[in-house]
């Protein structure tokens, strides 16, 4: 039987719900008319390759809501009296009209879909999505601080309008942390608290980019930033990356903004050389352009001292410095920060105010103490040791199993490795061997090199990393 509906196993939505929604949508849109006979649960289950119970659950829901009716012994049919035609319910024409594709803004069309990230099925070893190891985060200390502020919650924490740039003690704590650990030149007055660095990038696009402007981006680079600039109507100008980071000489002269990841290039992992940092600052000065410095996982460098931020090197009036607690703490915290040239502080605060007023205040208060009492730096120091060992375990496994057929790119830093395999069709080999892998294609505007993958190590133990690589090698 050719099935009139489709389901998508990669979606998180349960299959019975997808089947229910597909029929419901089809009935409301008039694709399936009153009285039309439904396939039997057995037929549909076989056609969609799902269990009969899954189809039965969907049909039962549709019957309960009046979309279908069953005639004992003769099957199931689309109802003669559809629920939206029943008196007292929304008129058919309204439902039909609203189920037609809506005309959306060019902005949202250009954003494109959110990449699918589903939990791997049991037995599959997931080497695809790097993130911090939550099991090692000091949630007890964090919980204590949140409770402390919850107990004290007074008018200061209940309101959010006084500190429009973010909770003032947190801005103080972050400015001091950044001066100490990243050599960023700033005071609390230059810091705006945001809901993760993704919001910082969105605000950058709103404040710095007009439709038709050129924005220079690294090739390859972080797709989450590129999409935002493209959605704002920017013309993206990719500039290549080599072992010394972005090729500053290849930056187009007419760009108004350059988005860069100098400490740990995303995804390749190289750092921008000092000579190029100085060239980049000179490029921005000469064109009165802005550099957006995304200092994403800069806390984690495993050889030598952490590289100071580009922002601290020269003319701060051209650099917007963006950072996040997503890696040093946990991404669900949704707190990041921007350090701005003085002239940009007010426009950023204005854009943030109209976007969402304020980042959650209670967590900002707890975070101010978490940093002030030294928990953040202590945790980062500990995780640096853990991640260094895990990175080494992954490198050892790659060397053991692939030798010269695996080339590791980038510096000893971050939470993932980029590896080029000199092995035909490693993706299908991974699928067969039960290993989830992520290639770098989404990071390129142009064509991506074959067999280039982002391999996670930060939240997997040495044994799992070894097993994953062994399975890949076959
Ligand atoms: C390079 C880079 N910048 C920014 C972000 C956004 O991070 P968050 O919004 O969690 O701070 C990400 C997330 O993956 C990233 O990879």
């Amino acid at each position: 039987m050719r099935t009139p509906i489709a389901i998508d196993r990669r979606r998180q939505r349960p299959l019975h719900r997808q089947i229910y929604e597909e029929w419901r949508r089809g009935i409301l849109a008039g694709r399936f008319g009153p009285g039309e006979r439904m396939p039997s649960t057995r037929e549909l289950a076989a056609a969609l390759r799902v269990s009969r119970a899954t189809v039965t659950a969907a049909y039962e829901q549709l019957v309960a809501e009046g979309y279908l009716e069953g005639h004992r012994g003769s099957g199931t049919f689309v109802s003669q009296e559809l629920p939206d035609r029943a008196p007292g319910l929304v008129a058919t024409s309204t439902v039909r009209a609203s189920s037609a594709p809506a005309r959306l803004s060019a902005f949202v069309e250009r954003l494109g879909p959110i990449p699918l990230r589903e939990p791997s099925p049991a037995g599959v070893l997931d080497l695809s999505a790097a993130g911090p190891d939550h099991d090692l985060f000091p949630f007890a200390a964090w919980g204590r601080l949140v409770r402390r502020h919850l107990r004290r919650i007074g008018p200061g924490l209940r309101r959010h309008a006084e500190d429009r740039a973010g909770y003032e003690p947190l801005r103080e704590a972050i400015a001091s942390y950044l001066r100490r650990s990243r050599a960023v030149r700033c005071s609390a007055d230059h810091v705006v608290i945001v809901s993760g660095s993704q919001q910082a990038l969105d605000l950058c696009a709103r404040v710095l980019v007009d439709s038709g402007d050129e924005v220079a981006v690294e090739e390859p680079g972080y797709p989450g930033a590129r999409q935002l600039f493209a959605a704002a109507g920017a013309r993206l100008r990719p500039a290549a990356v080599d072992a010394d980071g972005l090729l500053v000489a290849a930056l187009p002269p007419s760009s108004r903004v350059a988005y860069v990841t100098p400490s740990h290039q995303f995804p390749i992992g190289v750092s921008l050389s000092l000579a190029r940092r100085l060239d980049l600052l000179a490029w921005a000065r000469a064109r009165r352009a802005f550099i957006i410095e995304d200092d994403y996982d800069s806390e984690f460098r495993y050889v030598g001292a952490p590289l100071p931020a580009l922002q601290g090197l020269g003319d701060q009036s051209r650099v917007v410095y963006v950072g996040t607690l997503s890696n040093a703490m946990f991404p669900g915290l949704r707190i990041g920060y921007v350090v701005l040239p003085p002239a940009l502080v007010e426009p950023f605060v204005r854009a943030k105010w109209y976007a969402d007023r304020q980042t959650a205040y209670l967590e900002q208060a707890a975070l101010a103490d978490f940093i002030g009492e030294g928990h953040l730096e202590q945790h980062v120091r500990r995780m640096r040791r853990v991640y260094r060992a895990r990175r080494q375990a992954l490198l050892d496994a790659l060397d053991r199993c692939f030798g010269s057929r695996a080339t590791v790119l980038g510096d000893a830093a971050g939470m993932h490795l980029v590896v080029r395999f000199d092995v035909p069709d490693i993706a299908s080999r991974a699928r067969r061997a039960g290993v989830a892998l992520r290639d770098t294609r989404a990071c390129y505007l142009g064509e991506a090199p074959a067999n280039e993958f982002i391999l996670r190590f930060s939240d997997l133990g040495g044994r799992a990393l070894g097993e994953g690589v062994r399975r890949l090698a076959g």
Side-chain angles (χ1 to χ4, degrees):
M1 184 194 114
R2 263 192 74 235
T3 156
I5 60 161
I7 52 172
D8 184 350
R9 285 170 206 280
R10 291 166 306 171
R11 287 178 60 199
Q12 255 164 1
R13 216 139 176 75
L15 295 176
H16 69 87
R17 195 71 203 166
Q18 290 192 39
I19 296 170
Y20 157 83
E21 283 166 359
E22 281 287 301
W23 282 112
R24 182 175 178 276
R25 199 173 303 124
I27 291 169
L28 288 173
R31 272 200 297 133
F32 312 116
E36 200 169 307
R37 188 191 185 92
M38 299 285 288
S40 71
T41 50
R42 191 191 304 276
E43 282 168 340
L44 189 62
L48 294 174
R49 286 189 283 120
V50 298
S51 75
R52 216 173 144 193
T54 300
V55 177
T56 305
Y59 276 23
E60 279 173 358
Q61 184 66 27
L62 290 160
V63 170
E65 291 182 17
Y67 291 95
L68 301 182
E69 51 199 12
H71 300 298
R72 196 175 289 278
S74 59
T76 310
F77 300 85
V78 177
S79 290
Q80 294 291 349
E81 194 59 45
L82 287 177
D84 56 309
R85 290 183 184 173
L89 291 174
V90 190
T92 313
S93 58
T94 320
V95 175
R96 292 246 160 96
S98 67
S99 59
R103 196 186 77 73
L104 303 176
S105 69
F107 173 87
V108 84
E109 295 290 354
R110 284 192 292 247
L111 271 182
I114 304 174
L116 277 173
R117 285 269 173 80
E118 296 220 336
S120 300
V124 169
L125 240 158
D126 189 352
L127 295 183
S128 74
D133 189 332
H134 304 293
D135 291 343
L136 299 179
F137 184 74
F139 279 109
W142 175 249
R144 216 169 35 248
L145 297 177
V146 173
R147 283 193 297 280
R148 175 194 291 172
H149 286 281
L150 205 47
R151 271 196 307 276
R152 284 188 201 156
I153 202 156
L157 271 187
R158 270 177 289 175
R159 283 197 295 266
H160 63 279
E162 276 97 52
D163 297 326
R164 290 188 177 171
Y167 185 64
E168 214 219 320
L170 177 59
R171 287 190 286 115
E172 294 281 359
I174 284 183
S176 140
Y177 167 67
L178 291 177
R179 286 194 301 266
R180 263 193 323 274
S181 66
R182 309 290 305 119
V184 170
R185 287 206 245 166
C186 64
S187 74
D189 294 342
H190 306 123
V191 176
V192 177
I193 306 297
V194 287
S195 302
S197 49
Q198 192 65 32
Q199 184 179 45
L201 300 176
D202 180 53
L203 296 177
C204 285
R206 289 167 196 250
V207 171
L208 302 177
V209 178
D210 274 325
S211 188
D213 283 349
E214 281 190 14
V215 172
V217 291
E218 297 164 327
E219 171 75 342
Y222 173 48
R226 250 180 13 215
Q227 256 154 294
L228 276 176
F229 297 126
R235 287 176 296 144
L236 299 180
R237 293 285 177 263
V241 168
D242 68 10
D244 282 336
L246 174 77
L247 277 164
V248 177
L251 281 180
S254 43
S255 294
R256 273 185 37 74
V257 171
Y259 165 75
V260 291
T261 49
S263 305
H264 187 233
Q265 203 278 331
F266 186 90
I268 299 296
V270 291
S271 52
L272 192 63
S273 67
L274 178 62
R276 294 218 185 141
R277 285 170 189 242
L278 296 172
D279 287 348
L280 181 58
L281 288 166
W283 173 89
R285 213 171 22 250
R287 282 157 193 83
R288 301 180 56 72
F290 286 105
I291 299 165
I292 301 169
E293 175 178 16
D294 183 352
D295 209 23
Y296 193 60
D297 48 15
S298 59
E299 299 88 355
F300 300 111
R301 237 192 134 68
Y302 309 118
V303 179
L307 294 180
L310 171 80
Q311 191 269 7
L313 262 185
D315 181 2
Q316 284 95 51
S317 70
R318 313 270 22 128
V319 183
V320 175
Y321 174 90
V322 173
T324 183
L325 275 314
S326 288
N327 293 323
M329 292 178 68
F330 52 98
L333 179 65
R334 305 313 307 145
I335 298 185
Y337 40 85
V338 203
V339 178
L340 292 153
L344 291 188
V345 173
E346 190 280 330
F348 260 77
V349 169
R350 201 166 358 134
K352 163 80 180 164
W353 182 253
Y354 283 107
D356 67 356
R357 297 289 190 265
Q358 183 67 267
T359 294
Y361 228 42
L362 177 64
E363 281 85 348
Q364 288 193 55
L367 179 57
D369 287 356
F370 193 77
I371 298 174
E373 293 177 10
H375 298 291
L376 177 66
E377 277 152 288
Q378 193 184 358
H379 180 60
V380 166
R381 274 198 301 277
R382 173 176 184 218
M383 296 318 290
R384 217 178 269 141
R385 285 195 298 276
V386 171
Y387 296 158
R388 180 191 291 126
R390 290 178 180 174
R391 181 175 183 275
Q392 194 55 51
L394 178 55
L395 287 175
D396 291 346
L398 285 166
D399 192 40
R400 248 190 338 266
C401 298
F402 286 93
S404 60
R405 291 175 308 149
T407 308
V408 176
L409 308 177
D411 297 356
M415 305 171 105
H416 69 262
L417 288 181
V418 170
V419 183
R420 270 189 209 151
F421 290 97
D422 182 14
V423 177
D425 207 10
I426 195 107
S428 33
R429 188 190 278 224
R431 264 192 304 278
R432 282 196 305 274
V435 178
L437 276 190
R438 174 182 172 200
D439 63 37
T440 56
R441 267 180 302 179
C443 302
Y444 286 84
L445 276 170
E447 203 173 325
N451 280 335
E452 189 179 87
F453 293 90
I454 297 176
L455 260 60
R456 136 200 200 184
F457 62 77
S458 47
D459 56 346
L460 289 177
R463 192 173 304 174
L465 291 166
E467 167 66 15
V469 175
R470 220 174 5 259
R471 285 193 200 178
L472 278 183

